[in-house]
Amino acid sequence: MKNNNWLKWSAYAVAGLIVAGCATYPDQATTKQMAEKMVFEGFTYSAEHKSRLVQDRSQQICSKIGDEKLTQAEAAEVVKLARASIKFPASGKLVGDWKTGDKLAHNGAGDRIRNGKEESRKENGALCQNCHALAPGEINVGNVGPPLTGYGKQRGNSEAIAKYTYEKIYNAWMYFPCSNMPRLGATEHLTPEQITHVVAFLIDPQSPINK
Amino acid sequence: MEKMRSIGLALGAVALFAMAAPAMSQGNDLSVGRKMLVEDNPGDLWIDIGKELFYQKRGPKKASLEQCDFGLGAGKLEGAAARMPRYFADTDRVEDLESRLLTCMTRLQGFDRKGLVKQAISRPRSKGSDIEALALYITSRSNGMKVNVTLSHQKEYDMYKAGEYLFYRRSGQTDFGCVQCHGEPDKRIRLQDLINMTSKAGAQEVASTWPAYRGAHYVVRTMQWRLNDCVWQMRLPDLEYGTDYSIALTTFLNHRGNDAVMQVPGFKR
């Protein structure tokens, strides 16, 4: 009861402030409206590149502000969308060539835009090195994600591991909704074929990651 | 001319020094190399250039920037940058230092906005842009003072909240918002240390060290340049100089960085 009264009085107080024109933080809906406008007025872009600014449903859910938590229903939706996004390569083979994968994993380029033009490359890099430790002894590696050193040595190269690894790279949010790892296949940064090469780099016993 | 030559010489020396720097930072503590460099910050050279530009009569209207109000009254620079971004009644918007400079250089001096924006971010190894030097000079007049970005006008509250929203907003090929790289302590992208800007100390470092001398480019860089570069890594399209997107993020970060002691130019990798 007491609580209720308090709520009522503070509601009056807030209303009073607004009537008096006192400056205060805007509510969530207003903030969103203003900020979204800033996004679309803050960049120069072609029709094609506009999609980089538009959030898909998962990105909307995964943009929680501050300490706000994902609800269970939201997490479940992100996982469901992720599962539905997975495409396997035409060949059906999930494990490609580790040497190609090695190069891709160490390549941080691709898809960046300057003066309206995308950097011209034969293909995009896979960006793994930016965030993960790879083969033992490599120094120039990031730590935004956990080390992948010894990945295949620890987990083996069974079909189940190949599938998990492929899906994880294709859409990381299938196993960890809204994690900091990009959904590299689902956003089309990488092709299914490229991902099979990176899978090989992670799980092939010959790969330097497992030496 | 004499001045340019001495800058050239100084830059030559810096280039040598910078080549030695990677060897220095091989040790455990990357910050040691950084601190040593800060004591002799080549960015200092641009303070004088900015000062000259500020008092010179320039542009089609042949005016200096002495009539420009950076929030504390026309020509009052002491402590002004430490309080920006802030609301300006004459434009009815919140402006950061760089967009305020654009306002004054177009209104008072008659420069063409498009031209200014085009040159605002200089090429690496160049002598820098007018705006870079001016932003550094003006900010240096707050050195030793505390960052104090207050929210009092409604548009300042709006900017702050929009900036917070944008900091967490994910989009594009890599699903990045700012927080994916600047939300946890002790993280690196390759070998580049990422500041955790959700902590007070991290926001304070950002709010008090820009403009900064960027060793890899041999020029002074501003906050708008930095945002531009992060947005490029995020695979977003070209950020437009001086628009609300970057002003909102700067308002968010600087307000949270309040009470840090200003010290520019910072020194960055």
Side-chain angles (χ1 to χ4, degrees):
Chain A
M1 224 23 236
K2 251 203 185 117
N3 234 341
N4 255 338
N5 264 334
W6 183 86
L7 270 179
K8 209 150 92 197
W9 282 115
S10 45
Y12 287 142
V14 169
L17 281 177
I18 289 168
V19 171
C22 231
T24 179
Y25 288 121
D27 62 39
Q28 263 185 32
T30 313
T31 300
K32 178 173 174 165
Q33 198 187 5
M34 289 185 302
E36 287 293 326
K37 187 159 168 268
M38 288 177 192
V39 170
F40 292 97
E41 289 176 354
F43 295 84
T44 328
Y45 46 84
S46 62
E48 184 203 343
H49 289 154
K50 187 177 178 184
S51 61
R52 308 266 182 116
L53 299 174
V54 178
Q55 291 181 302
D56 69 16
R57 173 75 187 146
S58 304
Q59 287 169 334
Q60 280 172 13
I61 295 174
C62 294
S63 297
K64 294 281 178 224
I65 292 172
D67 296 330
E68 201 188 333
K69 294 272 177 303
L70 269 187
T71 65
Q72 273 194 347
E74 286 171 331
E77 189 178 350
V78 172
V79 170
K80 195 172 145 212
L81 286 166
R83 188 166 290 131
S85 77
I86 308 272
K87 290 195 189 101
F88 293 102
S91 68
K93 251 186 66 190
L94 297 190
V95 188
D97 167 38
W98 69 260
K99 286 185 185 148
T100 310
D102 189 346
K103 285 202 195 93
L104 281 168
H106 288 85
N107 183 345
D111 263 347
R112 291 171 296 200
I113 300 172
R114 189 142 277 167
N115 299 325
K117 284 200 215 80
E118 257 173 71
E119 54 187 329
S120 56
R121 304 251 161 198
K122 214 169 76 240
E123 58 179 353
N124 287 336
L127 317 179
C128 321
Q129 181 193 6
N130 289 351
C131 299
H132 292 283
L134 301 173
E138 285 185 56
I139 309 262
N140 186 17
V141 293
N143 67 354
V144 172
L148 299 174
T149 315
Y151 183 91
K153 213 150 84 180
Q154 286 151 18
R155 305 189 198 201
N157 57 356
S158 67
E159 232 170 88
I161 289 295
K163 184 155 183 279
Y164 162 75
T165 309
Y166 181 92
E167 288 172 338
K168 179 72 197 175
I169 300 170
Y170 196 97
N171 192 327
W173 298 356
M174 179 171 155
Y175 293 101
F176 189 152
C178 301
S179 89
N180 287 342
M181 175 153 162
R183 300 167 298 164
L184 293 162
T187 64
E188 296 181 357
H189 181 79
L190 296 178
T191 65
E193 279 68 26
Q194 285 181 306
I195 295 176
T196 65
H197 300 315
V198 180
V199 169
F201 174 60
L202 259 56
I203 68 173
D204 193 309
Q206 297 310 310
S207 163
I209 249 192
N210 299 314
K211 291 292 172 189
Chain B
M1 208 46 230
E2 196 51 44
K3 180 157 232 160
M4 278 335 293
R5 190 162 329 120
S6 64
I7 289 177
L9 279 175
L11 286 180
V14 172
L16 280 175
F17 197 19
M19 266 154 47
M24 275 171 25
S25 51
Q26 293 276 310
N28 291 336
D29 188 1
L30 288 166
S31 63
V32 173
R34 236 177 247 171
K35 282 208 188 86
M36 285 171 70
L37 285 162
V38 167
E39 308 208 325
D40 194 10
N41 191 331
D44 288 342
L45 293 168
W46 274 269
I47 296 181
D48 284 342
I49 301 178
K51 183 175 181 181
E52 248 182 67
L53 288 168
F54 188 86
Y55 290 102
Q56 250 171 43
K57 294 194 175 23
R58 300 188 336 123
K61 294 191 182 169
K62 300 217 179 337
S64 78
L65 284 171
E66 286 162 283
Q67 286 310 306
C68 184
D69 180 358
F70 291 92
L72 303 178
K76 292 225 159 53
L77 301 184
E78 223 66 54
R83 293 168 159 265
M84 293 176 85
R86 68 186 294 159
Y87 173 78
F88 291 90
D90 57 3
T91 51
D92 189 29
R93 60 185 288 240
V94 175
E95 292 172 289
D96 65 346
L97 175 57
E98 289 164 78
S99 47
R100 188 63 186 165
L101 270 169
L102 282 181
T103 298
C104 288
M105 291 171 82
T106 49
R107 288 191 177 182
L108 294 173
Q109 298 184 306
F111 282 114
D112 166 48
R113 190 186 154 95
K114 268 211 184 109
L116 288 175
V117 164
K118 209 167 157 192
Q119 284 165 20
I121 296 178
S122 66
R123 287 169 190 278
R125 292 168 195 275
S126 69
K127 64 186 173 64
S129 76
D130 293 353
I131 288 193
E132 285 163 343
L134 282 163
L136 175 58
Y137 167 62
I138 294 164
T139 311
S140 75
R141 299 289 304 274
S142 293
N143 275 350
M145 294 175 208
K146 284 187 175 169
V147 178
N148 183 18
V149 175
T150 53
L151 308 179
S152 53
H153 192 276
Q154 185 59 49
K155 292 198 172 173
E156 292 169 345
Y157 281 97
D158 293 352
M159 266 301 176
Y160 175 86
K161 272 292 176 187
E164 180 185 48
Y165 175 97
L166 295 172
F167 190 83
Y168 292 94
R169 184 187 192 273
R170 306 179 76 167
S171 79
Q173 245 76 345
T174 48
D175 293 313
F176 283 143
C178 314
V179 72
Q180 269 61 52
C181 291
H182 298 298
E184 287 174 71
D186 306 320
K187 292 292 177 191
R188 284 179 282 108
I189 286 279
R190 301 204 178 203
L191 279 187
Q192 299 163 41
D193 291 320
L194 299 167
I195 293 184
N196 173 14
M197 297 174 193
T198 60
S199 78
K200 176 93 180 162
Q204 287 187 319
E205 180 160 349
V206 172
S208 59
T209 58
W210 292 90
Y213 180 76
R214 174 149 161 98
H217 285 184
Y218 307 103
V219 282
V220 163
R221 291 301 191 200
T222 65
M223 185 67 173
Q224 295 251 350
W225 167 81
R226 185 59 252 180
L227 296 181
N228 200 71
D229 206 59
C230 286
V231 154
W232 174 75
Q233 297 180 54
M234 294 163 82
R235 273 71 186 172
L236 300 185
D238 295 295
L239 183 59
E240 270 187 58
Y241 195 86
T243 50
D244 284 350
Y245 178 89
S246 43
I247 297 171
L249 283 163
T250 308
T251 304
F252 172 65
L253 293 170
N254 286 9
H255 176 69
R256 293 172 63 116
N258 273 350
D259 296 327
V261 176
M262 296 289 299
Q263 195 54 58
V264 300
F267 188 95
K268 311 281 174 181
R269 185 185 56 83

